[in-house]
Amino acid sequence: MDCDLRSPLFLIHLFMSTFLPALCVIYPLNEVNLLDSKASQGELGWISYPSHGWEEISGVDEHYTPIRTFQVCNVMEYSQNNWLRTNWIPRQSAQKIYVELKFTLRDCNSIPLVLGTCKETFNLLYLETDDDQGSHFREHQYLKIDTIAADESFTQTDLGDRILKLNIEVREVGPLTKKGFYLAFQDVGACVALVSVRVYFKKCPYTVRNLASFPDTVPMDSQSLVEVKGSCVNHSKEEEPPRMYCSTEGEWLVPIGKCLCNQGYEERSSTCQTPSAVSGIRKEKTTRNSVSLAWQEPERPNGIILDYEIKYYEKEEQETSYTILRARGCNVTLGGLKPNTAYLLQIRARTAAGYGASSTTFQFETSPDSAFSISSESSQVVLIAISSAVAIILLTVLLYVLIGRVCCRSKSKHPDEKRLHFGNGHLRLPGIRTYIDPHTYEDPSQAVHEFAKELDASCIAIDKVVGAGEFGEVCSGRLRLPSKKEICVAIKTLKGGYTDKQRRDFLAEASIMGQFDHPNIIRLEGVVTRSKPVMIVTEYMENGSLDSFLRKHDAQFTGIQLVGMLRGIASGMKYLSDMGYVHRDLAARNILVNSNLVCKVSDFGLSRVLEDDPEGAYTTRGGKIPIRWTAPEAIAYRKFTSASDAWSYGIVLWEVMSYGERPYWEMSNQDVIKAVDEGYRLPPPMDCPATLYQLMLDCWQKERNNRPKFEQIVSILDKLIRNPGSLKITANTTSRPANLLLDRSSLEVPSMGTMGDWMDPMRTLPCKEAFSGVSYSSCDTIAKTSTEDLKKVGVTIVGPQKKIVSSLKALDSNTKNGPVPV
Ligand code: AMP
């Protein structure tokens, strides 16, 4: 055969020299190959009808490994009908298969004298059978999967260079029911080289999460998820039954529950066993309101002891309220105690690996109050002096309290907020570990080193910039610690020329993040403070921030996937509120998403969080607040509590269900404040399950005590995950409250005339252009608009199509019926 432009050999030859390096592929772990033509080094033995049609060609790749390809190029003759059929492919356990074709296809314009005969497509077909039918072949039995066209053709440039583009097309086939199947390729007169054919199915691969193992699981063909129960790994036991869901895409979603290591088998690595218990606690000196104590270092410190945590409480109060102190050495003086009172105390040591076991409980009593044991002979002068002193003290305390109330009204705590500050890191706690405000440290750099590990900059490799933070760039990179596996990380840098305050504020985020340890809170790996640039290193979240991620994947997730994401956020927020940490800036832009769709709360800081947030707007009382996400009481008088975080959670819920829509669209901040104050609330996003909309409305209760706690939110979402059928009833089809921002008055068929104008408040701007100039004269015309009509005016993406059609339907029913009061 000649080496002319129509030669199949020419096609292959050019391909070999241009594209073979790209064939060196490692397939994803969740794909199981049923057929891979490249893996065969001998003849593939596929059947070709007629024999002068498709031709099997041998070639070698860059390693001189033989590969087999097929091509046909009968472009000069009319009525071509050339078939190529694979061998029989057993289906194994697959319900849905994927066919990946790599091919080159000649542009007919580039072949002289073929006008009218040359084609630029070929057909892909399949036939299911229970057994191998050998060479038996009947065209009509085959079902068409698709017509395959090239995105990129093989063309010739003006300079005469031939540019070959490799096309890759994937098609899904399913559900399959018989034991196996054949694939067939029908050519009707194209010049095509089939470089490789791969057939695979997806599975959720064996994995271990939260100490539970989950077996290889083949997804269903339909949209439903497969619920899989995990088994605790050896030497661990269930804390909460572990389970996950396997999606049709072969991804594990929504990990729930976990196992915990049995005693004696706790997780440890070469750098990180926690210290053994502190012992030998003794009293050195006691007064009426203080005690000095000393103790011995743990027998097995297993590392450098960073500090000791001393927890004590009045014996009578039985741990309902306790105080925590930290000491660097093996002694401490506890002050501010009540005279003549019994106290109980426990001490534990902390190393880089975490807290060790607590000591046994130690009891001590303070001395009796001698001030009132003055003998009767004492002079009246002493008594008068004491009474005057007491009166002065009482008066001072009273004044102090009054002044405190007036000045610090905005700082007072909500009754159910668990965090109470006593300066210098002394905290009184109602029985749980609490967050320590790094600003209570005289030297904030001490706080960083208390809560964050110092990393050696040489262990960090920066790859690329992924975002911009207030203090510098955010990069992706890798962290390799000695004797640990390399992990992907995000690296926030502090740009040069910073002031002391900027450095402190930058590192405050690490001091806060370092106190948290939860799967739905972004994990701090450590900080670099001893060399420049100063860095904060956290786990890497492949999908970036939730708002842009949702916008990128508009209408692409199942309800259960969205609920899984929301559950994660609620669970992270429950943890934060249990710790007594109020986030103040909870919004989809401050949630990060990893490759498993796990959502994690991020963006910690104090006042700087709001300074940093582009949504932050100055209020009349000063200070920046992200108005659209913030509860009315926090806007009005800076009452930030876990209940105001619950309001923000409701807004995040709305953002998620509307795939990243901007809350209150283009309304001004002032209009939002006014509307919310007057009792108006956001309407349900399109197709939003009624239960989730109800949860939003609950979070937006004006009275903050009526809003659900994060614990309740988690449990509501868990119930929905267990019973996904409940997601089918949508808020748009059930009764809607009358106080919605988009009620009849705002949805009335506008006299404004064009659909483009109407779409402005709906934020469907990409589609708006398509509609400008399209006038709708009556409700009937609007209601009859279909996705086909939308395609005609250029709205081709499914998500926006769906949104617009259902918006129009809602508009139609609203204008006919008006809003329904609850
Ligand atoms: P921040 O300063 O935390 O708001 O981060 C700015 C941007 O950097 C975010 O919007 C993300 O796009 C990106 N980013 C921050 N942290 C991470 C992370 N851990 N993983 C991936 N991207 C991140």
Side-chain angles (χ1 to χ4, degrees):
M1 210 170 280
D2 298 338
C3 188
D4 74 3
L5 278 175
R6 277 165 288 144
S7 158
L9 273 179
F10 173 81
L11 286 175
I12 287 298
H13 175 77
L14 196 58
F15 168 76
M16 294 296 180
S17 55
T18 320
F19 284 102
L20 270 173
L23 286 177
C24 204
V25 185
I26 299 166
Y27 300 120
L29 259 185
N30 67 345
E31 293 178 3
V32 182
N33 282 353
L34 293 173
L35 165 75
D36 182 3
S37 66
K38 288 204 311 290
S40 171
Q41 295 184 0
E43 278 199 16
L44 284 166
W46 295 1
I47 292 173
S48 194
Y49 300 94
S51 54
H52 61 267
W54 290 90
E55 208 178 350
E56 186 166 353
I57 306 281
S58 286
V60 286
D61 68 11
E62 76 279 23
H63 304 299
Y64 296 96
T65 308
I67 62 163
R68 311 291 294 175
T69 59
F70 292 89
Q71 57 189 22
V72 62
C73 197
N74 298 343
V75 286
M76 303 295 273
E77 296 131 58
Y78 283 99
S79 308
Q80 290 298 304
N81 185 20
N82 304 309
W83 286 74
L84 173 69
R85 194 210 69 182
T86 64
N87 297 330
W88 190 66
I89 308 167
R91 170 170 72 89
Q92 298 186 18
S93 49
Q95 291 192 15
K96 175 161 86 173
I97 54 145
Y98 298 79
V99 182
E100 180 195 81
L101 306 176
K102 291 187 180 170
F103 62 95
T104 58
L105 205 141
R106 282 286 299 276
D107 173 353
C108 289
N109 288 331
S110 69
I111 312 171
L113 308 171
V114 297
L115 275 180
T117 52
C118 174
K119 303 284 183 308
E120 291 181 345
T121 60
F122 63 97
N123 296 324
L124 172 66
L125 306 95
Y126 80 113
L127 169 68
E128 277 196 87
T129 60
D130 273 325
D131 47 29
D132 187 343
Q133 301 192 340
S135 57
H136 178 83
F137 174 75
R138 292 276 180 282
E139 269 184 50
H140 68 270
Q141 295 179 321
Y142 282 73
L143 299 174
K144 183 161 157 184
I145 299 169
D146 207 353
T147 299
I148 309 290
D151 284 337
E152 310 281 359
S153 296
F154 170 87
T155 47
Q156 199 163 356
T157 67
D158 293 344
L159 298 174
D161 300 331
R162 284 171 292 275
I163 303 167
L164 183 64
K165 293 283 165 84
L166 182 70
N167 293 278
I168 304 178
E169 295 286 331
V170 179
R171 295 292 181 275
E172 294 174 17
V173 190
L176 297 182
T177 49
K178 298 205 169 159
K179 286 189 186 144
F181 58 94
Y182 295 97
L183 289 181
F185 307 90
Q186 184 194 21
D187 162 58
V188 287
C191 191
V192 54
L194 198 51
V195 175
S196 76
V197 179
R198 183 165 78 97
V199 183
Y200 60 92
F201 66 92
K202 291 191 179 174
K203 67 169 182 182
C204 294
Y206 169 88
T207 188
V208 175
R209 292 271 175 91
N210 298 335
L211 290 183
S213 66
F214 294 84
D216 275 349
T217 303
V218 178
M220 306 244 238
D221 171 56
S222 62
Q223 277 303 304
S224 353
L225 303 178
V226 183
E227 183 179 344
V228 184
K229 293 196 171 26
S231 320
C232 291
V233 298
N234 285 345
H235 306 299
S236 68
K237 60 176 180 305
E238 266 182 22
E239 190 194 50
E240 190 194 334
R243 58 203 156 88
M244 275 208 284
Y245 293 84
C246 175
S247 78
T248 36
E249 289 306 303
E251 291 161 338
W252 288 111
L253 302 175
V254 204
I256 297 173
K258 62 176 173 190
C259 307
L260 291 179
C261 294
N262 291 342
Q263 222 175 0
Y265 289 90
E266 286 88 353
E267 215 177 353
R268 74 178 71 149
S269 72
S270 51
T271 60
C272 56
Q273 198 180 350
T274 55
S276 60
V278 164
S279 60
I281 304 173
R282 59 190 184 279
K283 229 171 15 179
E284 305 236 295
K285 190 175 162 212
T286 316
T287 68
R288 290 165 50 228
N289 44 27
S290 72
V291 66
S292 298
L293 301 164
W295 57 88
Q296 282 166 12
E297 202 181 68
E299 218 170 273
R300 292 182 309 284
N302 296 323
I304 297 162
I305 293 187
L306 300 173
D307 56 22
Y308 292 91
E309 183 194 80
I310 301 114
K311 171 176 156 186
Y312 62 97
Y313 49 94
E314 283 178 47
K315 189 175 177 185
E316 274 195 359
E317 288 200 6
Q318 303 233 338
E319 226 178 326
T320 50
S321 161
Y322 59 74
T323 304
I324 283 188
L325 273 185
R326 292 174 199 283
R328 289 217 167 264
C330 287
N331 51 57
V332 74
T333 298
L334 310 180
L337 305 178
K338 286 188 195 162
N340 203 16
T341 305
Y343 284 87
L344 296 178
L345 166 144
Q346 281 183 317
I347 301 176
R348 57 182 184 159
R350 187 171 70 99
T351 64
Y355 286 103
S358 292
S359 64
T360 51
T361 308
F362 177 79
Q363 177 168 338
F364 65 88
E365 285 92 28
T366 45
S367 314
D369 196 341
S370 52
F372 294 96
S373 57
I374 298 170
S375 70
S376 57
E377 298 99 71
S378 299
S379 71
Q380 280 190 341
V381 179
V382 174
L383 275 175
I384 289 166
I386 291 172
S387 325
S388 320
V390 169
I392 288 168
I393 290 169
L394 281 176
L395 210 65
T396 316
V397 168
L398 198 70
L399 268 174
Y400 184 78
V401 168
L402 281 176
I403 292 168
R405 282 212 172 167
V406 173
C407 300
C408 312
R409 231 179 110 206
S410 62
K411 283 188 181 168
S412 64
K413 301 274 176 256
H414 183 258
D416 58 18
E417 194 184 345
K418 288 164 180 159
R419 175 166 49 131
L420 290 171
H421 296 264
F422 278 80
N424 287 337
H426 297 210
L427 303 170
R428 190 166 285 276
L429 316 155
I432 47 155
R433 204 161 90 77
T434 49
Y435 152 76
I436 297 170
D437 181 344
H439 285 179
T440 59
Y441 282 74
E442 264 170 44
D443 173 7
S445 65
Q446 189 198 338
V448 177
H449 290 112
E450 189 132 328
F451 301 117
K453 189 154 76 181
E454 178 74 28
L455 302 171
D456 193 319
S458 66
C459 301
I460 302 165
I462 294 182
D463 288 338
K464 60 172 189 226
V465 176
V466 291
E470 136 115 336
F471 295 96
E473 283 151 349
V474 183
C475 304
S476 67
R478 285 152 294 126
L479 172 71
R480 185 193 284 274
L481 291 176
S483 72
K484 285 217 172 152
K485 241 177 45 195
E486 184 175 84
I487 55 166
C488 292
V489 286
I491 303 146
K492 282 191 181 181
T493 50
L494 175 60
K495 57 181 174 247
Y498 51 81
T499 61
D500 270 2
K501 180 174 180 314
Q502 282 171 325
R503 184 180 193 273
R504 266 200 313 273
D505 287 349
F506 176 72
L507 290 173
E509 180 167 23
S511 309
I512 295 170
M513 226 190 293
Q515 298 182 47
F516 305 139
D517 175 17
H518 188 274
N520 298 103
I521 305 289
I522 195 83
R523 193 182 64 247
L524 178 73
E525 296 296 341
V527 290
V528 176
T529 63
R530 299 203 173 120
S531 60
K532 284 187 182 167
V534 176
M535 300 184 223
I536 297 178
V537 181
T538 64
E539 67 181 302
Y540 184 61
M541 301 293 284
E542 296 82 351
N543 282 314
S545 53
L546 178 61
D547 60 334
S548 48
F549 175 68
L550 288 169
R551 279 180 215 129
K552 219 184 287 166
H553 296 277
D554 193 4
Q556 289 178 10
F557 296 115
T558 59
I560 203 97
Q561 280 176 310
L562 296 175
V563 177
M565 295 185 215
L566 289 163
R567 197 247 182 221
I569 302 167
S571 175
M573 288 307 297
K574 173 187 174 312
Y575 175 84
L576 292 182
S577 71
D578 285 350
M579 290 274 288
Y581 179 81
V582 179
H583 191 290
R584 296 171 173 229
D585 198 10
L586 178 60
R589 65 185 167 279
N590 290 331
I591 303 290
L592 292 168
V593 189
N594 74 10
S595 55
N596 289 323
L597 291 195
V598 176
C599 288
K600 306 200 181 198
V601 181
S602 81
D603 259 74
F604 300 102
L606 300 157
S607 52
R608 85 122 190 115
V609 166
L610 303 177
E611 298 300 328
D612 177 10
D613 191 328
E615 285 293 346
Y618 287 100
T619 60
T620 45
R621 295 176 64 93
K624 262 177 149 186
I625 289 181
I627 301 290
R628 284 150 214 274
W629 283 263
T630 305
E633 73 277 6
I635 296 175
Y637 51 99
R638 299 187 71 80
K639 184 84 188 160
F640 284 99
T641 60
S642 292
S644 62
D645 277 352
W647 177 290
S648 312
Y649 181 85
I651 303 286
V652 172
L653 183 44
W654 189 90
E655 287 183 279
V656 170
M657 297 316 291
S658 57
Y659 282 90
E661 197 82 74
R662 179 171 167 76
Y664 311 97
W665 304 276
E666 298 309 328
M667 282 171 71
S668 71
N669 280 343
Q670 276 319 312
D671 285 351
V672 170
I673 295 174
K674 192 159 170 287
V676 169
D677 198 47
E678 284 170 6
Y680 282 88
R681 296 293 181 264
L682 282 164
M686 219 42 76
D687 295 334
C688 178
T691 36
L692 289 179
Y693 186 56
Q694 187 54 52
L695 183 55
M696 290 178 208
L697 294 175
D698 290 346
C699 292
W700 300 330
Q701 293 272 348
K702 192 177 177 68
E703 168 54 51
R704 66 177 180 278
N705 291 317
N706 291 345
R707 294 174 204 153
K709 306 274 174 292
F710 282 108
E711 184 171 11
Q712 292 166 309
I713 297 178
V714 172
S715 122
I716 290 168
L717 297 177
D718 273 348
K719 275 192 201 128
L720 283 180
I721 290 169
R722 280 197 294 271
N723 180 17
S726 55
L727 294 174
K728 290 199 181 113
I729 306 160
T730 61
N732 314 87
T733 53
T734 55
S735 307
R736 291 144 53 103
N739 60 340
L740 304 185
L741 281 170
L742 280 185
D743 63 10
R744 181 185 179 129
S745 55
S746 49
L747 274 180
E748 252 168 359
V749 176
S751 54
M752 50 175 108
T754 73
M755 281 305 292
D757 295 339
W758 176 76
M759 280 182 172
D760 257 348
M762 299 297 293
R763 271 192 59 85
T764 44
L765 287 179
C767 316
K768 187 192 156 194
E769 276 173 27
F771 280 90
S772 48
V774 180
S775 275
Y776 279 78
S777 52
S778 75
C779 299
D780 283 353
T781 329
I782 289 174
K784 281 175 193 147
T785 306
S786 68
T787 48
E788 286 310 311
D789 299 329
L790 295 179
K791 274 186 207 156
K792 280 183 208 150
V793 292
V795 184
T796 50
I797 305 166
V798 179
Q801 277 176 4
K802 235 175 86 182
K803 273 194 180 175
I804 294 168
V805 170
S806 30
S807 302
L808 294 174
K809 295 227 156 66
L811 171 63
D812 179 55
S813 77
N814 257 358
T815 49
K816 282 180 182 144
N817 311 322
V820 188
V822 263

